[in-house]
Amino acid sequence: MRLDLNHIKQWIEPGSRVLDLGCGDGEFLSQLQQERNVIGVGLEIDHDNISDAIARGLNIIEQDMDRGLSNFPDHSFDTVVMAHALQVLHYPDLVIDEMLRIGQQCIVTFPNFGHWSCRWYLASHGRMPVSKFMPHNWYDTPNIHFCTVQDFELLCSEKGIRILQRDMVTQQSGAQWAADRWPNLFASTAIYHIAR
Amino acid sequence: MADTAEASIGVVTPQREHFSEGLMLACGRRLPEFELVYESYGTLNAAASNAILICHALSGHHHAAGYHSEEDDKPGWWDACIGPGKPIDTDRFFVVSLNNLGGCHGSTGPRSINPETGNEYGPDFPPMRARDWVNSQALLADRLGIECWAAVIGGSLGGMQAMRWSLLYPQRVAHCIVIAAALKLSAQNIAFNEIARQAITSDPDFYEGHYLQHKTIPSQGLAIARMVGHITYLSDDAMADKFGRDLRSGDFSDNASGEVEFQVESYLRHQGNAFSHSFDANTYILMTRALDWFDLARDYGDDPARAFADCQASFLVISFSSDWRFSPERSREIVDALLAAGKPVTYSNIEADQGHDAFLLPIPRYLDVFHAYMKRVGAQ
């Protein structure tokens, strides 16, 4: 279980309807169903993940969110979650618009490209950062739209999106205070709870 | 029986149920009495909670799995999916597969004797709608002591029946599995069916459907109907792979004698010919009309989401990438209607180059998804 998913749970009302975009093998949605009794739907395109998620008893739709979500009615879910998928989308801004149309509220998590280690790597090596966290080379990475905490908040303000809550995650123990104080520099993962 | 018998249900014997109570039909006519032929695989549990209904497609029948004798070398039409350890696991489920009313494999149909005239029904057999089949299948379920199906499953026209089940008998369907189907046929689809019907009815041996009285069958027309249908069940790629431009006889060299025949011509003729001697022309017309007329949302203000509003089943919808007769777009319409109705639905589009026929074939990812979902059906 990725760190960010445990943070998300607290913002999801028991018994609510949850749409999980890029639900992977359904582990998170399955936990939400068991622990919070949510009515969940997952979107996924990876074949193995789809089979695994179906075997967990989840309702899974094979659909590429980059090609639109217009088949989901307005406000048909209480919460729309997209965990660590923003950076792989061709149209992240449009997908966020769609999420806010479909859900009463949304939760978005993404790796913060403004983290000091990315900056240090780029500054010292002069090359695109590669780390355990982001193991791909620039030419074969699925991550095509990296952003920073500041970038994301700027987009929200331009689009008139309300940030209800945010949670900054760091993988270094003892650095939480720094991540809270200067998230753009010290948060490795940003978690946003947003609404229109 | 094939060598792979260990994964087969083995030898099965068709059974019959007679319904003297008859059936009121959607067309306003009444079948005074009727018979359904069916097969069952596996064992019904004490709570009768593990029963699966298989609905067949246009040219299908009750023999979905296993063999009819030790010498039989051809298993039932859906043996890829029904059997021990297969997605529809006969070690776990009690599977019922019947021949639909109006069929020509043993259930009451155009070849049966009309008790009111003493002659075969022939073209006077009443037109069937998917809902008539569902109603007759519900009577069979009553007879078998099945209050609620763990799942109603069908491909193509069978998928349409499965959806109709979920609307007409919402309390009697726990899961509805709809494979390579549609909410209604497209104009192109109806057009292909009309070519098939025209081929049959313009055969001089058709005699307006009374061919049996003339001791003949419109075999040429039925063969052409099947050939047209068969092409639409395959994809361009599948036909290229299977036949290409290979020649069965003749060649294109200078001074070549003998007729040039492509493999695909010979194959289609063989398929058409075999079909024309095993299928009834009036049944073919009846089945294609039932397909054409099916429109799930017609009675619900043409709003499929409203149609699904009262159903209580969970749905699995599967489509195949190269299926152009019942394309993935048609399946997504089903999924979208279910989403709009707020119903539980799982959808997968399987990459396969076999066209519409893919739903009958053991394609690994298809079986994988099907297996995973049936695990859920079995767990409930």
Side-chain angles (χ1 to χ4, degrees):
Chain A
M1 163 89 4
R2 284 198 315 266
L3 267 175
D4 48 329
L5 298 179
N6 276 324
H7 288 247
I8 295 175
K9 270 188 209 163
Q10 55 188 345
W11 295 335
I12 291 176
E13 290 291 320
S16 62
R17 288 180 60 85
V18 176
L19 175 63
D20 187 355
L21 301 177
C23 67
D25 67 4
E27 186 184 2
F28 177 60
L29 205 50
S30 180
Q31 284 187 12
L32 282 180
Q33 282 197 350
Q34 282 157 24
E35 297 169 19
R36 304 233 145 196
N37 203 25
V38 303
I39 300 161
V41 176
L43 235 71
E44 185 51 57
I45 50 174
D46 179 83
H47 294 176
D48 291 335
N49 276 340
I50 289 170
S51 293
D52 290 349
I54 293 173
R56 290 180 193 269
L58 299 169
N59 296 311
I60 303 300
I61 309 288
E62 182 172 337
Q63 182 173 337
D64 184 350
M65 59 180 137
D66 242 348
R67 291 185 168 190
L69 295 165
S70 60
N71 53 325
F72 289 90
D74 295 359
H75 304 303
S76 49
F77 287 86
D78 296 301
T79 306
V80 182
V81 178
M82 182 170 63
H84 265 58
L86 192 67
Q87 73 279 4
V88 305
L89 298 177
H90 283 91
Y91 308 102
D93 54 333
L94 302 182
V95 171
I96 289 172
D97 283 337
E98 280 295 84
M99 289 174 72
L100 290 160
R101 177 185 64 76
I102 297 162
Q104 304 287 351
Q105 46 183 278
C106 302
I107 297 169
V108 177
T109 84
F110 57 88
N112 172 31
F113 205 72
H115 190 263
W116 66 265
S117 64
C118 293
R119 302 185 194 202
W120 170 250
Y121 196 103
L122 187 59
S124 64
H125 294 68
R127 294 178 51 202
M128 289 301 281
V130 175
S131 66
K132 200 176 83 183
F133 198 51
M134 293 184 285
H136 303 279
N137 284 302
W138 65 272
Y139 49 84
D140 65 2
T141 178
N143 303 318
I144 54 175
H145 275 128
F146 273 128
C147 70
T148 69
V149 164
Q150 275 187 16
D151 285 330
F152 185 79
E153 295 198 358
L154 185 62
L155 179 70
C156 288
S157 98
E158 282 170 5
K159 283 182 174 291
I161 297 168
R162 287 186 296 137
I163 296 171
L164 304 177
Q165 296 170 87
R166 65 175 203 188
D167 207 346
M168 296 297 153
V169 182
T170 175
Q171 281 161 326
Q172 285 154 302
S173 55
Q176 187 59 51
W177 66 274
D180 291 338
R181 180 75 182 82
W182 300 287
N184 203 37
L185 204 51
F186 291 104
S188 52
T189 292
I191 307 174
Y192 281 89
H193 190 191
I194 57 176
R196 269 280 181 231
Chain B
M1 234 162 31
D3 292 339
T4 53
E6 70 275 8
S8 163
I9 189 71
V11 174
V12 295
T13 309
Q15 300 161 76
R16 309 185 149 272
E17 282 290 336
H18 185 87
F19 298 84
S20 54
E21 65 265 49
L23 185 68
M24 193 64 208
L25 302 170
C27 65
R29 288 168 61 185
R30 184 178 180 80
L31 269 186
E33 58 177 342
F34 65 94
E35 212 165 59
L36 292 176
V37 61
Y38 70 98
E39 289 180 0
S40 67
Y41 323 115
T43 310
L44 187 64
N45 63 19
S49 63
N50 67 334
I52 306 276
L53 176 67
I54 307 295
C55 299
H56 70 70
L58 180 62
S59 59
H61 44 69
H62 54 289
H63 184 39
Y67 298 84
H68 275 164
S69 72
E70 293 290 342
E71 294 73 40
D72 196 353
D73 58 1
K74 198 165 169 272
W77 57 268
W78 219 12
D79 203 68
C81 292
I82 305 170
K86 294 179 183 177
I88 303 170
D89 190 345
T90 48
D91 289 338
R92 172 183 264 173
F93 297 111
F94 175 69
V95 184
V96 177
S97 171
L98 79 160
N99 182 214
N100 278 342
L101 275 179
C104 54
H105 292 90
S107 290
T108 302
R111 292 203 167 210
S112 309
I113 300 296
N114 179 351
E116 285 160 1
T117 65
N119 295 320
E120 286 115 355
Y121 279 103
D124 301 326
F125 193 82
M128 287 288 138
R129 304 266 290 272
R131 64 192 65 191
D132 297 322
W133 290 329
V134 169
N135 287 329
S136 68
Q137 290 156 4
L139 291 174
L140 179 63
D142 294 342
R143 202 61 76 80
L144 297 173
I146 296 158
E147 182 50 41
C148 178
W149 297 102
V152 177
I153 306 178
S156 194
L157 177 58
M160 292 166 155
Q161 292 163 63
M163 286 189 284
R164 187 61 78 191
W165 254 102
S166 74
L167 268 52
L168 292 183
Y169 297 96
Q171 295 90 0
R172 302 190 73 173
V173 186
H175 290 271
C176 184
I177 301 184
V178 182
I179 305 169
L183 293 167
K184 58 186 172 192
L185 289 197
S186 65
Q188 188 192 49
N189 250 324
I190 295 170
F192 280 120
N193 284 342
E194 178 58 9
I195 294 172
R197 286 189 293 267
Q198 285 294 326
I200 292 168
T201 56
S202 59
D203 187 317
D205 283 337
F206 183 63
Y207 294 105
E208 293 183 321
H210 297 286
Y211 43 86
L212 291 181
Q213 287 171 20
H214 291 79
K215 307 215 179 315
T216 184
I217 52 167
S219 54
Q220 190 61 26
L222 196 50
I224 294 171
R226 182 58 172 178
M227 286 163 76
V228 171
H230 203 83
I231 296 167
T232 69
Y233 304 146
L234 301 173
S235 69
D236 194 14
D237 286 346
M239 292 185 85
D241 272 359
K242 194 164 179 178
F243 311 107
R245 292 176 53 84
D246 295 351
L247 295 180
R248 185 178 162 82
S249 65
D251 63 69
F252 292 109
S253 59
D254 293 345
N255 307 319
S257 60
E259 205 177 332
V260 168
E261 188 188 27
F262 287 99
Q263 285 287 1
V264 67
E265 297 177 83
S266 153
Y267 171 82
L268 272 184
R269 268 206 299 276
H270 171 74
Q271 289 290 326
N273 192 38
F275 186 77
S276 70
H277 290 96
S278 65
F279 209 85
D280 181 73
N282 285 316
T283 289
Y284 201 82
I285 291 171
L286 176 151
M287 293 280 176
T288 56
R289 287 214 186 282
L291 253 178
D292 291 357
W293 293 348
F294 183 84
D295 180 350
L296 191 84
R298 189 194 290 117
D299 300 341
Y300 303 87
D302 292 321
D303 178 359
R306 224 181 92 196
F308 285 122
D310 293 330
C311 74
Q312 296 174 20
S314 295
F315 286 77
L316 169 65
V317 178
I318 295 178
S319 61
F320 298 91
S321 58
S322 62
D323 183 352
W324 54 281
R325 187 89 197 241
F326 290 81
S327 68
E329 285 71 26
R330 301 285 84 75
S331 283
R332 281 195 279 267
E333 287 168 1
I334 299 170
V335 173
D336 292 351
L338 288 162
L339 287 172
K343 301 297 171 183
V345 53
T346 286
Y347 168 64
S348 187
N349 180 42
I350 308 293
E351 281 292 330
D353 64 5
Q354 293 94 335
H356 187 54
D357 266 355
F359 89 87
L360 298 165
L361 303 173
I363 296 162
R365 181 164 178 245
Y366 170 38
L367 298 186
D368 220 36
V369 166
F370 205 167
H371 233 127
Y373 194 86
M374 290 307 292
K375 212 176 114 185
R376 168 175 170 184
V377 173
Q380 283 169 353

